[in-house]
Amino acid sequence: GRDPRVVSVSSLAHRTGWIDFNDLQGERFYSAWKAYGQSKLACLMFALELHRRLGGARAAGASVRAVAAHPGWTATDLQRTAGVVRVFNPLFAMKPEDGALPTLRAATDPEAESGSFWGPSRFFELNGPPVPARIPKRAQDETAAARLWEESEKRTGVRFDLDVAPGAATRRAS
């Protein structure tokens, strides 16, 4: 059967990220790790906001899911310039094919519900088979997520007209 999904790929770096609305593009202060953390938090927030905005479509019978995943600590080229991190790759890092498993599970598992987040199961989500991952409070900020969505539409010139207004899930629940 058909099971359409949008899977956003985040990273453990989402834990260090914060959305700086005064400097979204890093024009005032740029740091590669700050930008990476912010972008990976934004990817997770996007998935959660898309999940909320698709709520009306799901209520009308559509089956589109918005799901997110992160690969844990996976040995990739990302670490080749990260000195000390590269040294610990043999101890903690998974092979790329194992690091892809959380994304594959998010994309294919019938039990992966819309709004879920997947990552490795062991050692602070660094490695292991994929399971539901912890979603930090910062990523659950619906006001910031709606604002980030609107900023993204404004900056890209691409608008997505979905059935549900931002925050509608919250209004329905209260």
Side-chain angles (χ1 to χ4, degrees):
R2 298 192 58 172
D3 188 13
R5 299 175 196 215
V6 175
V7 179
S8 300
V9 180
S10 186
S11 159
L12 282 173
H14 77 273
R15 294 177 180 167
T16 64
W18 72 93
I19 306 299
D20 183 354
F21 285 104
N22 295 316
D23 193 20
L24 276 175
Q25 310 257 121
E27 295 165 322
R28 284 188 246 179
F29 171 74
Y30 180 78
S31 155
W33 282 109
K34 174 185 174 258
Y36 187 69
Q38 177 174 265
S39 73
K40 293 307 175 177
L41 175 60
C43 288
L44 178 53
M45 292 173 77
F46 168 82
L48 298 174
E49 183 65 11
L50 180 59
H51 164 71
R52 285 187 287 274
R53 289 172 183 249
L54 287 170
R58 281 191 307 278
S63 61
V64 178
R65 301 181 203 194
V67 186
H70 76 81
W73 190 338
T74 300
T76 65
D77 266 355
L78 183 65
Q79 296 102 353
R80 80 180 138 75
T81 60
V84 73
V85 175
R86 188 179 66 232
V87 170
F88 290 105
N89 267 356
L91 296 173
F92 300 109
M94 293 186 291
K95 294 177 181 156
E97 55 268 23
D98 294 328
L101 292 177
T103 304
L104 286 172
R105 185 159 187 194
T108 63
D109 186 339
E111 303 299 316
E113 295 180 7
S114 188
S116 64
F117 184 39
W118 296 83
S121 57
R122 294 193 297 258
F123 199 60
F124 305 101
E125 297 182 19
L126 290 176
N127 56 46
V131 296
R134 189 180 70 79
I135 301 174
K137 283 208 180 297
R138 197 172 10 219
Q140 297 176 46
D141 182 339
E142 291 184 22
T143 302
R147 182 176 174 195
L148 186 59
W149 184 281
E150 291 159 9
E151 276 295 319
S152 297
E153 285 185 333
K154 189 184 323 174
R155 289 170 186 246
T156 63
V158 177
R159 182 161 170 72
F160 291 97
D161 293 318
L162 300 172
D163 293 341
V164 177
T170 304
R171 285 195 297 276
R172 271 198 308 272
S174 53

